[in-house]
Amino acid sequence: MTSIGNFPTIKTVTISYAELIDKAADLSMQIEQGFGPNGLGILSISNVPEFSSMRQNLLRLAPRLASLPEEVKKELEDPHSRYNFGWSHGKEKLESGKPEMLKGSYYANPVLDKPTEDDSLIQRYPNFCQANIWPGEALPELEPAFKALGKLMLEIGLILAYHCDRYVSRCMTVKKGEGLEQILLHSRCHKDRLLYYFPEQKSECLQEADNISSWCGWHTDYGSLTGLTCGMFMRNAVEIPCLEKTAGLHIKTRDGQIVKVVFGEDEIAYQIGETTEILSRGSLCATPHCVRAPKGDNTLGVDRSTFAMFMQPDWDQNLKLPEEVHLHKELLPPNGTLTFGEYSEKLIGKYYHQNS
């Protein structure tokens, strides 16, 4: 562990791909260190075949997507899903309550272009059940690159979920078909997000100099597992190393300490979401996190691209809430039962305009 700026910098607990695919391997120590009650809610998988090239292929498309003509991007928006499909910019609100104008997103389901034909479900759960919106001729490379990386990260995440189930089964009974692996294997709700962080201007750099969450506000993922690529920094479409060591992913520990977390460009990181914390009764723990922008004159014009794979239960998966709810207390009844669809609808309303 090193210290950069005011916050310690910690490398993620890492599991090699060869270890991960060995289902007889005992990975309980790594799972506990990364995902357990005293962990950071994150670990990474190294040496995944073909991952590095897939990451490069997709992340290089993010600036091109963000620079498409405004009228083209408008056609890629989906207000009915509260911008949870297609292009979104300036619609999401996290801890500040203000729209996040420095972050653009492109959402799609990497497995199913249209999860259901049931109109009633589309109306009830538009953030899961809408059809994907692809840019087509405006950026034809996006769909195949997006789906390829999304499916790979889902495949790796499912193997990780198997090992999480083995770890959780040491302290609670995991009924057949109710473990994390099986819940995610049969879900139609997985969602990927290509993220583009716009360069800060000089005035913004000065204004946000001490703001840890200047690129992405504090939040906790509400799904099960979030796969995450290492960010790619670019200036004028040319990849560069991160010029400012305090920039990047920051996590708040269970005791309130803030740390910067790093992992390699050739690694896939996975973070625990709130739903997994609920289902595991706290054996696996979610943590709040944010993204800090670089600051200083030498970072002007620097943008960042990354890709997140949100692995989520199906919309009708029941979640039995614990006796003590420490997340979203104002929305969630202790000892209650909600479907994942109902749970997510309550939370999405916090982050987007209700009537958007």
Side-chain angles (χ1 to χ4, degrees):
M1 181 175 70
T2 59
S3 182
I4 296 175
N6 297 322
F7 306 107
T9 296
I10 300 178
K11 173 73 174 68
T12 54
V13 174
T14 303
I15 299 171
S16 72
Y17 175 75
E19 290 178 292
L20 187 76
I21 62 174
D22 180 1
K23 291 199 168 183
D26 181 3
L27 302 181
S28 56
M29 183 177 71
Q30 294 98 315
I31 297 290
E32 182 163 355
Q33 288 175 341
F35 291 161
N38 296 316
L40 293 175
I42 187 171
L43 57 74
S44 59
I45 311 299
S46 64
N47 301 318
V48 176
E50 300 185 53
F51 167 71
S52 292
S53 60
M54 288 185 182
R55 171 184 171 272
Q56 289 273 340
N57 290 342
L58 180 60
L59 296 193
R60 289 182 180 279
L61 297 178
R64 291 175 56 192
L65 175 66
S67 63
L68 288 174
E70 291 302 318
E71 62 270 21
V72 174
K73 289 188 288 188
K74 191 72 175 176
E75 291 296 315
L76 299 175
E77 292 182 350
D78 184 6
H80 182 60
S81 69
R82 281 179 286 191
Y83 302 91
N84 274 266
F85 279 90
W87 174 251
S88 171
H89 178 216
K91 303 298 191 295
E92 187 175 26
K93 299 183 294 183
L94 295 176
E95 99 273 7
S96 69
K98 299 178 181 178
E100 300 207 322
M101 300 306 297
L102 289 176
K103 181 174 64 180
S105 303
Y106 194 85
Y107 289 96
N109 185 322
V111 181
L112 300 169
D113 273 317
K114 191 172 185 180
T116 180
E117 298 290 341
D118 188 329
D119 287 339
S120 64
L121 286 172
I122 294 172
Q123 291 297 318
R124 187 176 183 186
Y125 302 127
N127 55 305
F128 297 134
C129 298
Q130 293 284 93
N132 286 335
I133 307 170
W134 299 108
E137 293 182 1
L139 192 61
E141 307 99 309
L142 181 65
E143 181 177 352
F146 191 105
K147 287 182 174 179
L149 184 55
K151 289 175 181 177
L152 175 66
M153 291 171 66
L154 175 60
E155 177 185 337
I156 301 301
L158 288 171
I159 306 172
L160 179 58
Y162 164 84
H163 289 285
C164 288
D165 286 337
R166 290 188 66 190
Y167 171 76
V168 170
S169 66
R170 302 189 315 171
C171 52
M172 64 178 282
T173 301
V174 179
K175 296 180 181 179
K176 186 177 181 180
E178 295 184 2
L180 183 61
E181 180 191 24
Q182 289 300 309
I183 287 174
L184 296 177
L185 183 63
H186 297 106
S187 176
R188 295 163 287 181
C189 289
H190 304 308
K191 186 80 67 68
D192 286 349
R193 185 181 192 183
L194 180 60
L195 287 142
Y196 178 72
Y197 297 91
F198 291 87
E200 287 195 308
Q201 303 305 313
K202 187 167 185 177
S203 60
E204 292 166 336
C205 288
L206 293 172
Q207 182 178 355
E208 300 287 351
D210 297 318
N211 187 356
I212 305 168
S213 57
S214 47
W215 249 347
C216 177
W218 286 104
H219 66 286
T220 307
D221 295 344
Y222 62 82
S224 297
L225 273 179
T226 301
L228 190 65
T229 69
C230 183
M232 177 185 289
F233 292 86
M234 301 180 78
R235 178 186 276 138
N236 299 324
V238 177
E239 184 177 359
I240 60 172
C242 180
L243 300 174
E244 213 281 318
K245 299 302 183 182
T246 64
L249 177 67
H250 288 65
I251 288 177
K252 188 175 294 184
T253 67
R254 302 295 268 190
D255 60 2
Q257 183 185 20
I258 296 174
V259 299
K260 182 186 172 183
V261 177
V262 296
F263 55 97
E265 292 180 1
D266 62 342
E267 297 174 6
I268 308 174
Y270 287 88
Q271 292 180 278
I272 289 293
E274 296 170 3
T275 301
T276 293
E277 181 169 332
I278 291 170
L279 292 173
S280 70
R281 291 297 182 259
S283 294
L284 306 171
C285 295
T287 49
H289 48 278
C290 71
V291 180
R292 188 178 196 176
K295 58 184 180 180
D297 290 341
N298 67 330
T299 66
L300 293 179
V302 174
D303 59 31
R304 179 179 185 264
S305 303
T306 190
F307 184 71
M309 156 45 105
F310 298 105
M311 300 174 64
Q312 306 175 135
D314 210 58
W315 51 74
D316 58 4
Q317 174 70 45
N318 283 323
L319 307 177
K320 183 169 174 28
L321 302 175
E323 293 181 7
E324 293 187 14
V325 176
H326 72 273
L327 296 164
H328 315 296
K329 291 181 180 180
E330 75 283 7
L331 297 176
L332 304 177
N335 279 330
T337 299
L338 298 172
T339 66
F340 178 69
E342 293 167 337
Y343 178 70
S344 62
E345 281 294 313
K346 286 178 177 289
L347 300 186
I348 288 174
K350 292 180 63 175
Y351 300 143
Y352 291 84
H353 295 293
Q354 290 285 354
N355 298 321
S356 293

